[in-house]
Structure formats: C-alpha cells, structure tokens
Amino acid sequence: MPGTVLATLYRSSQVCEVFSLQYLHLPNEEHLGEKESSVEWVGSIATKLCKLLKIAPPAVCQSTVQLFEDDVVEVWTRSVLSPSEACGLLLGSTCGHWDVFSSWNISLPAVPKPAPQPPKPPAPGAPVSRILFLTDLHWDHDYLEGTDPDCENPLCCRQDSGLPPASRPGAGYWGEYSKCDLPLRTLESLLSGLGPAGPFDMVYWTGDIPAHNIWHQSRQDQLRALTTVTALVKKFLGPVPVYPAVGNHESTPVNGFPPPFIEGNHSSSWLYEAMAKAWESWLPPEALHTLRIGGFYALSPRPGLRLISLNMNFCSRENFWLLINSTDPAGQLQWLVGELQAAEDRGDKVHIIGHIPPGHCLKSWSWNYYRIVARYENTLAGQFFGHTHVDEFEVFYDEETLSRPLSVAFLAPSATTYIGLNPGYRVYQIDGNYPGSSHVVLDHETYILNLTQANEPGAIPHWQRLYRARETYGLPNALPAAWHDLVYRMRGDTQLFQTFWFLYHKGHPPSEPCGMPCRLTTLCAQLSARSDSPALCRHLVPDGSLPDVQSLQPRPSFC
Ligand SMILES: [Zn+2]
Ligand SMILES: [Zn+2]
C-alpha cells in the first residue's frame, strides 16, 4: 500500500544497501539482550531515511517507524536470511541472489485428476442465488467534512488534515474523490440502501475494515473498527449469513501477520480472538477454531457447497513476518488441498474468498496456489477477492500450455473512495441453490454512490446500479473463457477498453487517459493470476520481445 513508509523503503532502490547496512549492525543471537537498543537504532535510521527520501511528512515518518520498529527487529533477530536473501524475498530477483521463490512445494494427494468437465448452463427457470460482496470498507473514524482533501499526509479529509486553501473545496459530506476513506454515515447509507439490490442469500465480506492512517493506529483502534462495523453489518443484514475474510489492514502495524508459531504479545491472537467473538453468530465452532489459530476457516453454507475463507496475509509480499519462514505459512495451502480433496470426494463444489488476490502474492505461494486451482478445476466453482480497490479479474490457465482458461478470480471494487473513486459494492448471481447446481457465477452487478451528485447541497444519497457484466461486455456467460476472450477483444477495441477503464474505477476514472502501454499493462494484470509469470501475457504483445512483456507485469494500485 502506497502509504506504508517501511514498505516504500523496501521498494526503493537504496533498500538493498539499507538491508546490508542494518544487518551488519544488528545483534546476533548471543546478544539478544541488546534488542532494545537495536530497536532504537533501527528506528532512528528508518526515520532518517524516510525523511531524507521524502517518503512522507516528518511526523508521519516518526509515527510509522515507531509502530513498526519493534516487530521488525523481532523478525530480523529471528530471521535466518542474509541481507540479500531478505531483499530478494521482498523485492524479487532483481535485488537478492537467493531464489526463495522456488524453494517449497505443497504435496498433492496421489488421487489422479479427473478429466476437466466445464459446467453445463443451468436449465431455463432454474433458481438463482444472490451473494452480496463487500470489501475494503476502510472506515475513517476521524473523517471530517470541509477539511483538506489534498493534504500532505497519506490520508486526508480528516481532523488532522487542516483546511484547504480558499481556492479549493473541502471534503464532501459523503466522501471525496481523493486519498480519503469513508465516514461511518456512508457505510450506514450503503447498508441501509441495499434493498433494491437484494434480497441476498448470503454475504461475502473480504476485509480491510480500518482506515489508511496506518502511521497512527493502536490495537484498540483496530478492534474498535472491527466491532463497530461488524455491528453495523449485523444491524442492516439481520439474519442473512455473513462470511468474512481477513484483510491486510486489520492488524497494526499494517501487513503484520505473524504465522501461528509466533506466540505471546507479538502474535495475532489479540486480533483473531476478537474476530472470533465478533463473528461468533455467523460461523460454526470448527470455523471459529481455525480462525483463532490462523485467521482462516471452512464451512458448508448449504448442501453441496463448501466455502473456504483464506488468510491471504500469509502470501503477502508486505508481511515482514514471512522473512522468518515463508514456506506455506500456517500450513494453509496444505490445509486447502485437504479441504478441496474432501470436497471432490463428496462431490461438493467450493467457493474461495480472500483479501489479497493470488496474482499479487509471493512467487512460491502464488505458483503453488495456481497448481492447486488447476488440479481442482472441476470442484472449484468460484473465487472472490478484493484489496486492489478497483474492478478487475484474474484468469487461470492450465499449467501445461497456459492456454486453456480453467478458472477466474473476481476482484471486486472497494466500498471506500481511496483513491479518487466512487463508493461501491458488488452482487454476484450464482447458479443455485438446488440439488445438483453448479454454484458458478452466472453474472455480476456493481452498485455505486455517485459522489458528485450525493455531495450536492440538499441531495439525498442514491445508490445506483453502475452496470451488469454480461450485458455491458456482451459475454455469452461468466465462465473463464468468456473473460479470457474479453481481454483479447479489449486489446484491439479502444471503445470497449474505455468502458472497462471507466468501470474499473467505479465510474470515476482519472483525468489522464490510458494509452497503449497503460492498456496492455492493465490487460496483462487480468491474465496474471500467478505472480512473476510474464509468459501469461505473451500473446498481448505478439511481436514483442521478452523485455516488453516483462514491463507489462502488473503492479498493485490503490490498496
Ligand atoms: Zn483496502
Ligand atoms: Zn488490502
């Protein structure tokens, strides 16, 4: 996420040197008693660098480093990696020399893969199930109408943003097209205005509840966001079952999710325990059990369907705890394989929900996940993620030829405006719920609040449907091949791509147009469900050289 001072430090070119520098001076295991002074030392270096490189205003540098320094030193003192290894893990092969990415593989059961069986279209008149999908709510407790939307901090429109100069308007009442999150009233308006989009059979809610003021968040702040927003969701959705997933902003410091072998005060138990309590009425005991241990779970919301909620922080490039050990953290992927095999054995279908999309993950995690998806293509009926804040998708292909589309992950847009977007949410139409239903996505709809209209004096907020996927893109169905075809149609059809670009930003695209390099990069992201795989975009630049294809590798945008 752009506001993360240390994450930005990791990504800047000077960082490899910083890694080496800090390692040379960090205490080794015999001197762990010196940890306190190391914390101070690392903190002062990081603060100096943050200010020197003008990564954030000095006060933000100071607070962010204070939040991170203790956990970061804990990780470094436990880490068995050399500086170049650590840098390679975080930045990829351009930085470190040690290829951590190819170092682990989960094992698949000896059961042979059944022949691929694409789902049959449902019979005319078959029941259709509606799933409400909420993601990236990012509630800002300190949002304040009239404050500066373009302040110097990483998050604005809030008490500490100050007032804008007389030449510019202040933050709007319902939200703002800027680096701002949402006031509680906008989330309340979203939830209270769901009527026309419903009724819903269930809700998937994929995390990032707190705001982006990541330089100044206590555990208490994060828990207040969890309980306040959970209570709001319960109030408006009543008896509809809600199935949450853990986002990268739930913790503090942001992205800090130690694997379960870290115990005591550094562990995530303060967070997972609170989640288990807040979500107790939605989840069965066995789901609450694994949630408490690793922030993930599985349950059967209806006969024939298994829902798996993954904690994608264990795949994250920005989770610094993975420096200690990045091999299948918490054993989550091996557990996923067990769940999928059991579902295959029972003849059940599976939905996966999670926060960070698989194409954004650390290489080894991402490649293993891709392999699992390919193995269980007949069983896996849907994949649903968030985190990028924009409206997009990731197509999965068979591993042998990288040509046959076999699954698609839908990346739904955020509720928050961060950065420069309309508030919004998604509804999926699913084949179900009846005996033998395929549980695949039949279509989806996206709803927004047009902020320009809503912030007019005297206006009443009006949540409207922005578009329906199949109708807008002329898709024969919503199966993987249709999304694959759409990408290649958009390559040559400027008007179609402009429609996608408009909807990608929830009806509020940036003022600068998206030219050919931007278009190809965006389309490449839709083909890249596996990270560090330039081959997936090879057909986008037919005559292009490999470096051209590599330059198309997607980057995270607004999360
Ligand atoms: Zn987010
Ligand atoms: Zn996120």
Side-chain angles (χ1 to χ4, degrees):
M1 74 134 284
T4 310
V5 174
L6 285 180
T8 316
L9 276 172
Y10 289 157
R11 291 185 188 297
S12 65
S13 58
Q14 295 92 332
V15 173
C16 298
E17 289 161 39
V18 176
F19 265 107
S20 316
L21 195 77
Q22 302 206 343
Y23 265 84
L24 288 174
H25 294 83
L26 274 172
N28 56 31
E29 280 178 33
E30 298 132 48
H31 300 98
L32 281 179
E34 296 168 18
K35 191 186 152 199
E36 232 162 82
S37 61
S38 296
V39 170
E40 282 165 28
W41 188 85
V42 167
S44 80
I45 294 283
T47 308
K48 274 183 207 147
L49 274 170
C50 176
K51 291 176 184 168
L52 199 71
L53 300 173
K54 294 194 167 42
I55 288 167
V60 173
C61 287
Q62 187 90 39
S63 318
T64 310
V65 168
Q66 272 169 13
L67 263 182
F68 276 86
E69 59 188 8
D70 189 44
D71 281 357
V72 166
V73 170
E74 176 73 16
V75 167
W76 285 355
T77 51
R78 283 174 178 251
S79 174
V80 294
L81 303 183
S82 73
S84 75
E85 287 165 353
C87 198
L89 175 67
L90 287 159
L91 287 173
S93 47
T94 49
C95 179
H97 303 292
W98 186 57
D99 187 9
V100 69
F101 305 121
S102 59
S103 65
W104 59 276
N105 280 312
I106 48 95
S107 50
L108 292 172
V111 186
K113 177 180 170 176
Q117 254 184 349
K120 292 189 189 75
V128 175
S129 153
R130 288 175 79 79
I131 298 182
L132 170 65
F133 193 87
L134 300 171
T135 192
D136 297 272
L137 271 55
H138 291 292
W139 166 46
D140 189 357
H141 172 268
D142 293 335
Y143 188 95
L144 192 59
E145 184 191 9
T147 52
D148 191 356
D150 198 22
C151 70
E152 59 171 11
N153 286 349
L155 182 67
C156 301
C157 303
R158 56 205 321 266
Q159 274 167 10
D160 62 9
S161 306
L163 292 175
S167 56
R168 285 195 283 109
Y173 182 76
W174 295 105
E176 192 53 62
Y177 296 125
S178 193
K179 46 181 182 177
C180 302
D181 283 319
L182 295 178
L184 199 63
R185 57 179 166 269
T186 309
L187 294 174
E188 206 161 353
S189 166
L190 185 162
L191 292 164
S192 67
L194 286 170
F200 306 111
D201 298 275
M202 50 186 179
V203 183
Y204 292 164
W205 176 21
T206 55
D208 269 10
I209 305 170
H212 287 84
N213 59 322
I214 52 109
W215 67 95
H216 203 250
Q217 289 175 328
S218 64
R219 288 182 175 182
Q220 207 181 347
D221 293 332
Q222 306 310 79
L223 296 180
R224 178 180 60 184
L226 169 72
T227 51
T228 306
V229 179
T230 298
L232 204 64
V233 169
K234 262 186 203 151
K235 177 179 164 189
F236 287 102
L237 284 154
V240 183
V242 179
Y243 302 118
V246 182
N248 60 308
H249 278 270
E250 263 64 71
S251 191
T252 183
V254 67
N255 301 311
F257 289 85
F261 65 82
I262 300 288
E263 290 170 348
N265 192 40
H266 282 288
S267 83
S268 289
S269 64
W270 65 276
L271 182 61
Y272 299 153
E273 284 295 333
M275 286 172 168
K277 197 158 167 247
W279 301 338
E280 201 172 11
S281 62
W282 293 327
L283 308 178
E286 64 274 21
L288 292 168
H289 176 71
T290 53
L291 175 66
R292 283 195 171 93
I293 296 169
F296 54 90
Y297 63 85
L299 51 78
S300 300
R302 52 187 54 171
L305 180 65
R306 191 80 172 149
L307 171 68
I308 297 177
S309 176
L310 294 178
N311 183 353
M312 299 299 282
N313 294 297
F314 292 140
C315 88
S316 169
R317 294 171 189 271
E318 293 179 357
N319 182 357
F320 47 88
W321 287 98
L322 303 187
L323 282 170
I324 299 174
N325 186 348
S326 69
T327 300
D328 192 14
Q332 184 179 217
L333 281 184
Q334 202 62 63
W335 169 85
L336 171 66
V337 169
E339 279 289 336
L340 285 164
Q341 186 59 53
E344 181 180 288
D345 295 345
R346 287 193 303 267
D348 282 358
K349 299 296 179 189
V350 170
H351 283 178
I352 291 178
I353 60 172
H355 182 68
I356 299 171
H360 290 235
C361 292
L362 282 165
K363 184 177 177 181
S364 201
W365 201 100
S366 185
W367 283 56
N368 274 295
Y369 183 82
Y370 206 82
R371 190 153 63 96
I372 295 167
V373 168
R375 165 62 186 82
Y376 293 98
E377 60 174 300
N378 290 351
T379 296
L380 192 51
Q383 301 188 60
F384 309 91
F385 296 88
H387 181 65
T388 68
H389 292 195
V390 290
D391 184 349
E392 50 183 338
F393 55 89
E394 290 177 351
V395 181
F396 288 72
Y397 296 89
D398 70 294
E399 285 189 301
E400 296 73 29
T401 68
L402 296 182
S403 301
R404 183 175 63 85
L406 51 76
S407 187
V408 59
F410 294 98
L411 280 51
S414 58
T416 185
T417 50
Y418 192 95
I419 302 173
L421 309 166
N422 282 310
Y425 64 90
R426 163 71 47 88
V427 177
Y428 290 101
Q429 281 144 275
I430 307 280
D431 177 31
N433 177 36
Y434 56 92
S437 47
S438 68
H439 298 283
V440 297
V441 173
L442 301 172
D443 203 351
H444 65 64
E445 300 171 346
T446 301
Y447 292 76
I448 60 152
L449 177 66
N450 181 322
L451 272 186
T452 312
Q453 290 169 8
N455 285 333
E456 287 285 326
I460 295 164
H462 170 60
W463 292 82
Q464 51 184 291
R465 186 167 60 215
L466 179 65
Y467 79 107
R468 282 193 186 113
R470 281 180 57 189
E471 169 192 81
T472 304
Y473 295 128
L475 307 177
N477 52 49
L479 296 176
W483 298 98
H484 162 91
D485 289 344
L486 175 62
V487 171
Y488 287 95
R489 280 194 285 137
M490 288 195 284
R491 185 184 55 175
D493 185 336
T494 302
Q495 206 179 348
L496 184 64
F497 179 76
Q498 290 313 325
T499 302
F500 178 78
W501 188 243
F502 176 80
L503 301 171
Y504 181 89
H505 294 95
K506 287 185 281 173
H508 195 261
S511 47
E512 60 276 19
C514 181
M516 202 36 125
C518 160
R519 187 195 303 185
L520 292 174
T521 303
T522 308
L523 295 180
C524 177
Q526 315 309 304
L527 304 177
S528 301
R530 189 172 73 180
S531 61
D532 295 308
S533 303
L536 291 167
C537 299
R538 66 201 185 284
H539 299 308
L540 279 179
V541 195
D543 305 320
S545 59
L546 193 64
D548 285 340
V549 176
Q550 265 161 348
S551 71
L552 298 179
Q553 280 298 290
R555 287 161 218 96
S557 45
F558 301 120
C559 34

